[in-house]
Amino acid sequence: MISKKMLDLGTKRSVIRDIFEYGNKLAQKIGAENVLDFSLGNPSTPAPDEVANIIKEMVTNLSPKEYNSYTSSPGDREVRIAVSNNLNTRFKTDYTEKNIFMTCGAAASLNIIFKAIIESENDEIIVNTPYFPEYKVFIEGQGAKFVPVKCNKDLLLDIEAIENKISINTKAVLINSPNNPSGVIYPKENIGELVKLLNRKQKEYNHPIFLISDEPYRELVFIDEHPTFLPNVYDNTLVAYSWSKSLSLPGERIGYILVPGKVKEYENVFAAISGAARVLGYVCAPSMFQKVIKHCVSVEPDISVYRINRNILFKELPKMGYKAANPDGAFYMFIKSPNDDGYDFCERAKKYNMLLVPGEGFGMKEYVRLSFCVETEKIEKSIDIFKKLISEYDGEK
Ligand code: PLP
């Protein structure tokens, strides 16, 4: 009567959501201030004032029709011009509104891209591990094979391992930098090697291999080297962007897909993106928030609290003996469990009302993910708990 696949997806909650629900129940019992909930990537920094100001101005000065009506399917033209101008200023590109398709956030952008490019069930999308768990759901949901490739020891792209997984069926390689869950930013050289490999493989198989760049954390960067803007180094790049994290608007569902003019058969690809958005019901992204973006596209995100939290963790945890990837961007730290068992570490942390996410869902079960988009006080409180936790393992050796 109904799809078994969808029933399974609808009944099995994600591990992250399970922990979040557990945290909510615990908060009712012992008070939210006593729960160190580091499970969700829900930005703690509020949206910048410019967002509320422009909404007030809209509802005061415009007729509702001007901000509640449908826009054109790919989004309001002026909004897309504002987005393309912003990219052109920052990345020295020459995009126009014809390169931008407004969407309901990165999840929608990715699903639209997959739907647009996947032709058969043999198609494969390569994903670097560790990865955002929903990638598997999106890729399989749109009918292709999810092909994870383990990262190297520094949690960067392992180019040789990627090469071993690329085949004639490879449709795309998906990367996410700054990365959820590791916070890693792939350095220029690492990206350069990937680009070389993809160019070589495209020639060998005589068809394009897309590089899909999932960029909700593009502006959340704590080091001098910003992530490479991939369309500037690889022609067949498609970008999935979202303002969920950079402007702290995760509930408003607003983002875009960038289809650069250098993409092979760009016009057809853009048309397929439009077709896929139509099938998935993602045409006309929320119109009020499209207009918010028109006015706020150049507003810089406030990452000051995330930076303080990141610096505390990055200073204290390695001193205690924890191994973790450099959290250079985003707001996550991916920490290796002392006994290589992420589940075990999360269970032990629960005893102290500290909630982390086991790494298995991200493809690396030895790790746990800590989201540090929380009040600094909670990060400070966690330090003693991390000390106690690691000492438990000492006694077990
Ligand atoms: N991609 C990554 C890597 C994410 O971490 C998230 C959300 O946490 C998304 C995509 C989905 O973002 P959005 O809220 O814009 O749909």
Side-chain angles (χ1 to χ4, degrees):
M1 185 182 79
I2 50 170
S3 156
K4 165 92 174 59
K5 238 190 200 167
M6 296 303 133
L7 177 63
D8 283 350
L9 283 172
T11 42
K12 275 189 216 132
R13 256 207 319 246
S14 82
V15 184
I16 303 178
R17 287 271 154 196
D18 270 346
I19 296 166
F20 180 65
E21 297 304 338
Y22 172 88
N24 283 342
K25 282 197 191 125
L26 193 60
Q28 280 168 11
K29 245 204 272 176
I30 64 168
E33 68 286 2
N34 297 314
V35 182
L36 303 183
D37 186 350
F38 304 134
S39 63
L40 266 198
N42 224 349
S44 54
T45 300
D49 289 346
E50 286 90 338
V51 170
N53 290 344
I54 190 66
I55 293 174
K56 279 184 212 149
E57 200 182 306
M58 264 193 262
V59 296
T60 312
N61 299 330
L62 301 181
S63 78
K65 221 175 146 234
E66 286 173 89
Y67 52 83
N68 287 151
S69 298
Y70 286 125
T71 64
S72 69
S73 301
D76 179 271
R77 186 167 169 272
E78 284 179 24
V79 175
R80 290 184 291 138
I81 290 174
V83 173
S84 57
N85 285 344
N86 175 267
L87 291 173
N88 293 342
T89 309
R90 294 164 65 198
F91 302 114
K92 303 188 172 44
T93 47
D94 56 0
Y95 303 135
T96 70
E97 75 276 17
K98 294 188 176 138
N99 299 106
I100 306 291
F101 195 102
M102 299 299 292
T103 66
C104 307
S109 300
L110 290 167
N111 273 294
I112 293 169
I113 291 172
F114 296 139
K115 182 94 188 155
I117 66 172
I118 291 166
E119 293 175 277
S120 103
E121 61 187 22
N122 295 325
D123 286 351
E124 296 178 350
I125 311 283
I126 290 180
V127 175
N128 187 54
T129 305
Y131 48 76
F132 176 53
E134 294 300 277
Y135 289 163
K136 184 167 165 20
V137 177
F138 299 163
I139 291 168
E140 291 178 351
Q142 300 305 339
K145 290 198 180 107
F146 170 81
V147 181
V149 175
K150 186 131 192 251
C151 57
N152 71 15
K153 64 175 182 21
D154 300 315
L155 280 81
L156 303 179
L157 304 169
D158 184 335
I159 305 299
E160 207 180 309
I162 295 176
E163 174 156 18
N164 289 339
K165 286 285 171 79
I166 291 187
S167 76
I168 187 106
N169 293 322
T170 304
K171 255 285 140 121
V173 173
L174 165 62
I175 65 171
N176 164 229
S177 173
N179 183 268
N180 175 8
S182 70
V184 159
I185 294 176
Y186 303 130
K188 228 172 36 215
E189 301 72 32
N190 199 213
I191 294 291
E193 286 176 53
L194 175 69
V195 165
K196 252 195 235 155
L197 170 67
L198 293 182
N199 279 324
R200 182 155 54 78
K201 287 290 174 183
Q202 289 193 129
K203 264 200 201 124
E204 185 182 326
Y205 296 130
N206 198 25
H207 68 70
I209 299 176
F210 293 104
L211 179 56
I212 302 172
S213 183
D214 179 27
E215 304 188 349
Y217 304 97
R218 185 200 284 150
E219 288 83 14
L220 276 54
V221 174
F222 309 111
I223 55 167
D224 290 338
E225 186 182 337
H226 278 243
T228 305
F229 185 63
L230 296 176
N232 282 351
V233 294
Y234 185 71
D235 287 352
N236 287 319
T237 299
L238 301 171
V239 175
Y241 186 81
S242 156
W243 284 277
S244 290
K245 318 287 173 168
S246 56
L247 288 185
S248 298
L249 295 173
E252 307 306 343
R253 318 309 301 134
I254 189 80
Y256 65 83
I257 296 168
L258 165 68
V259 186
K262 285 183 185 164
V263 165
K264 190 168 171 24
E265 296 180 23
Y266 145 80
E267 279 176 9
N268 284 345
V269 175
F270 197 90
I273 293 285
S274 308
R278 213 173 140 193
V279 167
L280 296 171
Y282 280 139
V283 290
C284 175
S287 49
M288 189 181 221
F289 274 84
Q290 286 194 49
K291 293 190 172 62
V292 167
I293 292 305
K294 186 170 109 184
H295 291 274
C296 298
V297 71
S298 303
V299 174
E300 304 252 336
D302 175 6
I303 61 169
S304 52
V305 173
Y306 308 146
R307 186 187 293 281
I308 292 169
N309 294 353
R310 177 254 189 200
N311 289 349
I312 296 173
L313 290 165
F314 198 33
K315 183 167 156 238
E316 298 298 333
L317 266 52
K319 272 203 297 206
M320 297 175 206
Y322 285 101
K323 294 200 169 57
N326 287 359
D328 290 337
F331 37 50
Y332 305 106
M333 194 156 176
F334 208 41
I335 306 160
K336 201 154 187 246
S337 167
N339 67 351
D340 285 348
D341 182 343
Y343 268 109
D344 175 59
F345 193 83
C346 289
E347 284 306 309
R348 293 183 193 221
K350 272 187 191 167
K351 285 184 309 202
Y352 301 96
N353 302 322
M354 182 165 93
L355 309 182
L356 304 162
V357 183
E360 187 165 16
F362 305 99
M364 292 179 80
K365 65 179 177 34
E366 321 86 276
Y367 283 77
V368 299
R369 187 190 76 172
L370 182 160
S371 296
F372 55 80
C373 45
V374 296
E375 304 91 315
T376 300
E377 202 192 347
K378 293 202 166 172
I379 295 293
E380 283 165 343
K381 276 192 188 166
S382 76
I383 299 301
D384 266 350
I385 298 173
F386 274 107
K387 268 190 204 141
K388 285 183 189 147
L389 280 168
I390 202 158
S391 67
E392 285 186 17
Y393 291 87
D394 280 345
E396 288 172 21
K397 274 177 197 159

